Amino acid sequence: MKSSNLTSRLGAAALAMSLALLGLQAQAGPHHGKTITLIQLSDVHGNLVPHAGILKTADGERYVTQGGGLAKAKTLIDEIRADNPASLLLAVGDTVHGTPEVMFTVGDAIMPALNAMGIDAYTPGNWEFGYGPAVFRNRFASFGPKPPLPANIRVMADAYDGPGVTPAAFPTIAINLYNDADSAPLPPQLHNKRVLPPYKLFDVDGVRVAVIGITAAIVPQQPKVFNIGLRFTQGIQELPGIIEEAKMQGATVIVVQSELGLAQNLEIGRRFEDVDVVLSAHTHEVTLNALVADEHRIRPKAPRRVHYLEHDETVVVETTEDLFLGRLDLVVRGGQVTGFEWNAIPVDDEVPEDPEIKALVDHAEAPFIGDTVVRHTFMPGGYCPGNDCGDITTRGLQLTESLDTVVGHTEVILHRGNALEDEINNFIADAIFNVANTVVPTGVDLSMTNGFRFGHAILSADVVAPGQGFRDGRNPGDITLRDLYTLFPITPAVAVAEFSGKSILDSMETVLTAVYDRNPFLQRGGWYVGMANMTQKIDLDNRPFSSSGGRIVETTIGGVKLDPSKRYLFASCFPHGEALDRICRTSGGTNHMFFELADADDYRSGISLVPPLNSEGIVNGPRVKQVAPDRFVHAVHLMRLYLDSLPGRTVTGDRVAVGRVQTVDSTQAGNPPVPAPVSEIDPTLIQPPEGAGPKFYYGLLND
């Protein structure tokens, strides 16, 4: 925990920034420039309240904090606006997804507070589509059809704040989201028409600013139920025409806020010299250094300093979830951006909460905590045939306990902060594997979990300073029910299926390639998967693109080298609405069986194996059939059962230690271990945006 005073910290920073900008403007002679400020709010992921976090600093240090939450962010936003009224609050990325409060209300719980933040323009992330297209259209679309909510959605939305979903009170923009009449009963004239406005124009202290949105292009890779009636493009082909259109309306400053991820957004900076700024989201990086891109190179620029810009250079910045707020000051002369200063501001435990937003947050939290907790039910698509959901207290995913309930403990920090492997994903994969082996009579061979980027850190007692309190009153090292749902804030069912070794290997190679591809437009999805009862050696420096084959050098299951022709029994999650040939991140499966609870309210009531309810026509236009059982088992149920099985319900370092994935040099005999690749563009980044592998392949490498 830091000890400096908030007011003096912000005041000193503002004074230094103001003096620097005045100095830069003074060098321009009589034609003084103007300073406009862009405030970046990225990938909030449903974080209403402060939570544990591990923040990094520009000098390479890290510190733990109780930070984040909308009320703290609003305090900083108001400070920036007071310092420079010529400002815009621009939000981009996953916002109404990521915590149990938003999961069980299809995003409604965060909307009142979010609507009070004063957002000037917003571009959605891929998880905004996770509640289905009806919720998305009713919440964010300013024109076009507003389809009636399916009965399963009404169960969640109506229970929170009355009928329907809470709409956004701010403009939502995207150039690359279209209506698709081929997959939903939309009027034919809407086919290939945009769902959202592509951009918004602002006059900021006499400067005409165009803010252009690019939403996620990866939604079609997610469950089909996310994008029924929607079509997505990369946005790159549309961008030149939209830039020209904005310029025709007087825009001289072009800002793109994009959910494509840092690698692709840097490529936008390289290709489009008319773009002044890209506000990046999706990859959950913190660009403590601003990245300046042109046709030939990408260079990091130190924070809290003024930098000049050439006419063909683009500033690209990103902040992660709710733990950082971005401030980008632009110096504009003659309508052109000539300089900038960037600061990724920590939203840490020194920042007080804004009272107005805190009151809205407290109201949203009340049904989920303490004595005011009420039942919440998540009903996936297909669970209400004929718009009849039946007795919703006995079906679907049930939440009946306070989110602040302590469910276990940890002796080590549980944290997502590595593109290859981390303690959280090891813990989740182990939970699925260990419990599955008590349910499946023959046992299972392996388990995996998605390589999510989101989720809070869970702090151990040894890293918490004496007297440093937790908002929810927990003791250091406690794991709460809120923590578990925040680690896995989606609602797939748990299933087992048979896969060939080759199918497993091919799917993992696809995931790994998407993390480290040299082509930025082929980097997509999250980080690498978490795995249990499995180890791998991978070569990220010398493979692929040679006769050596893929990046995966060696895989073992149960300590034995993977056999491509063998059939393995694999336990993982099954997204509702998927075809019955896969479980999370792996395709080619057969003989699916699902876990079902005896009592939907009690994770300890016993689990049985049941076959799928439907196996064909699962998604047929807008209609979805139920596949998993009524009382399907969720990953949180398995994490709780696993914690119950541990001595003292305590996670120890030896259980979750990294080392299941090892980077090696496959060009040397014996495949000796080597460090994982570090970004040459900026070594402070978690995932190298330039990818990894032989450098002759196309990528974001400097000339």
Side-chain angles (χ1 to χ4, degrees), residues 389-697:
C389 291
D391 183 357
I392 65 170
T393 67
T394 62
R395 305 175 65 238
L397 179 62
Q398 301 294 328
L399 177 66
T400 59
E401 298 173 80
S402 170
L403 292 178
D404 293 335
T405 301
V406 174
V407 297
H409 314 278
T410 181
E411 292 181 354
V412 294
I413 295 176
L414 300 177
H415 180 49
R416 282 188 175 125
N418 191 298
L420 274 178
E421 182 187 6
D422 58 55
E423 296 86 359
I424 282 177
N425 287 340
N426 286 349
F427 165 68
I428 296 173
D430 285 350
I432 297 172
F433 178 77
N434 280 275
V435 178
N437 275 304
T438 69
V439 174
V440 181
T442 60
V444 299
D445 296 301
L446 72 153
S447 294
M448 286 187 205
T449 183
N450 294 26
F452 297 130
R453 297 183 177 99
F454 46 72
H456 305 162
I458 304 175
L459 304 180
S460 52
D462 60 314
V463 300
V464 179
Q468 184 175 8
F470 287 85
R471 176 203 57 80
D472 51 14
R474 75 170 84 181
N475 295 314
D478 285 349
I479 301 172
T480 66
L481 186 57
R482 181 194 303 274
D483 291 327
L484 299 188
Y485 273 114
T486 304
L487 301 184
F488 210 95
I490 58 175
T491 57
V494 175
V496 293
E498 292 182 3
F499 291 81
S500 71
K502 185 178 187 304
S503 292
I504 294 170
L505 194 59
D506 288 350
S507 294
M508 297 185 78
E509 187 73 52
T510 298
V511 175
L512 187 60
T513 296
V515 180
Y516 288 100
D517 205 300
R518 284 289 194 193
N519 184 336
F521 292 108
L522 295 179
Q523 281 193 32
R524 48 187 60 233
W527 291 332
Y528 199 39
V529 297
M531 59 187 73
N533 204 38
M534 172 186 270
T535 65
Q536 285 190 325
K537 294 180 180 179
I538 61 177
D539 188 341
L540 297 175
D541 296 318
N542 306 293
R543 296 190 183 193
F545 320 121
S546 73
S547 60
S548 302
R551 291 175 170 87
I552 299 173
V553 178
E554 179 182 291
T555 301
T556 69
I557 296 177
V560 178
K561 187 175 180 180
L562 177 142
D563 180 352
S565 60
K566 181 179 176 180
R567 305 293 293 182
Y568 292 93
L569 198 56
F570 188 163
S572 187
C573 56
F574 175 85
H576 303 279
E578 291 278 65
L580 270 175
D581 69 340
R582 63 180 284 114
I583 53 180
C584 289
R585 308 310 298 269
T586 310
S587 298
T590 59
N591 300 324
H592 285 64
M593 295 291 284
F594 288 85
F595 290 19
E596 183 171 34
L597 287 172
D599 181 346
D601 282 354
D602 186 359
Y603 73 96
R604 295 165 296 189
S605 62
I607 298 174
S608 57
L609 282 175
V610 298
L613 295 180
N614 290 284
S615 59
E616 296 180 359
I618 295 170
V619 179
N620 183 13
R623 293 178 295 278
V624 180
K625 290 183 179 179
Q626 181 180 346
V627 175
D630 282 354
R631 299 178 300 280
F632 70 89
V633 172
H634 185 267
V636 166
H637 297 139
L638 300 193
M639 284 187 266
R640 295 192 71 175
L641 287 169
Y642 181 53
L643 284 168
D644 289 350
S645 74
L646 300 178
R649 294 192 302 165
T650 298
V651 177
T652 55
D654 59 312
R655 293 185 180 275
V656 296
V658 298
R660 303 175 192 188
V661 181
Q662 186 179 67
T663 48
V664 301
D665 181 355
S666 64
T667 67
Q668 302 296 317
N671 301 317
V674 295
V678 175
S679 174
E680 296 178 26
I681 294 172
D682 185 344
T684 69
L685 300 174
I686 297 172
Q687 178 181 349
E690 69 270 34
K695 292 185 179 180
F696 63 78
Y697 194 69

Side-chain angles (χ1 to χ4, degrees), residues 244-267:
E244 187 61 30
E245 183 178 321
K247 284 185 171 183
M248 293 279 291
Q249 298 183 64
T252 60
V253 175
I254 305 295
V255 177
V256 174
Q257 51 182 33
S258 167
E259 167 73 358
L260 295 179
L262 187 58
Q264 296 180 39
N265 291 330
L266 285 168
E267 188 66 10

